[in-house]
Structure formats: C-alpha cells, structure tokens
Amino acid sequence: MTNYSDTEVRKLRRSRTDKMVAGVCGGLAKQFKVDAALLRIVLVGATLLGFGTGAVIYLACWLLMPEEEPPAY
C-alpha cells in the first residue's frame, strides 16, 4: 500500500527570480526540473514555426499562472 502523505505537492507558479519577461519559463523549469534556457529556446521555436502559437501559449500561462510566494523572512 502506498503512503501518499509523504509525497510533496508541487504547485505550478511563475518564478520571481528566474525570469526574462514574466517568469513563465522559469516556473515551468522549476516544476519539471529542466533548464529555463532550454524552455525559452523551445518557446521561440514554437512561436516561429507554429505561426505565433508559442506566444499565445506564453500569454495564456502569464495570465493563468499565479506568481510564486515571496520568501518569508
């Protein structure tokens, strides 16, 4: 039997620190544990090759993804 109480819940949030425009790629990179630069390259490729689809997806993520909480001091 699997104990689900030990699993960590990771929430998808826009990054406050790793951002170029709105932190979408930085947040996705943190969530999926990949390099943010790689996601940015994929996004640019999707925008150029997909006739702007990447930009629409980025805009939707910007509007729908909440920003991560500021660090508590």
Side-chain angles (χ1 to χ4, degrees):
M1 186 167 163
T2 305
N3 185 2
Y4 291 107
S5 64
D6 293 339
T7 60
E8 178 184 341
V9 176
R10 297 184 307 171
K11 296 182 181 182
L12 182 59
R13 305 270 186 205
R14 288 185 290 127
S15 176
R16 286 180 169 261
T17 55
D18 187 11
K19 66 188 210 177
M20 295 282 228
V21 177
V24 172
C25 290
L28 287 169
K30 188 181 288 186
Q31 179 74 21
F32 297 115
K33 296 181 181 173
V34 296
D35 190 19
L38 179 65
L39 289 178
R40 290 181 183 111
I41 291 169
V42 168
L43 181 67
V44 169
T47 301
L48 295 175
L49 299 174
F51 303 107
T53 305
V56 172
I57 292 170
Y58 188 88
L59 181 65
C61 289
W62 188 352
L63 294 173
L64 296 174
M65 286 173 58
E67 194 169 44
E68 69 184 357
E69 301 294 322
Y73 294 105

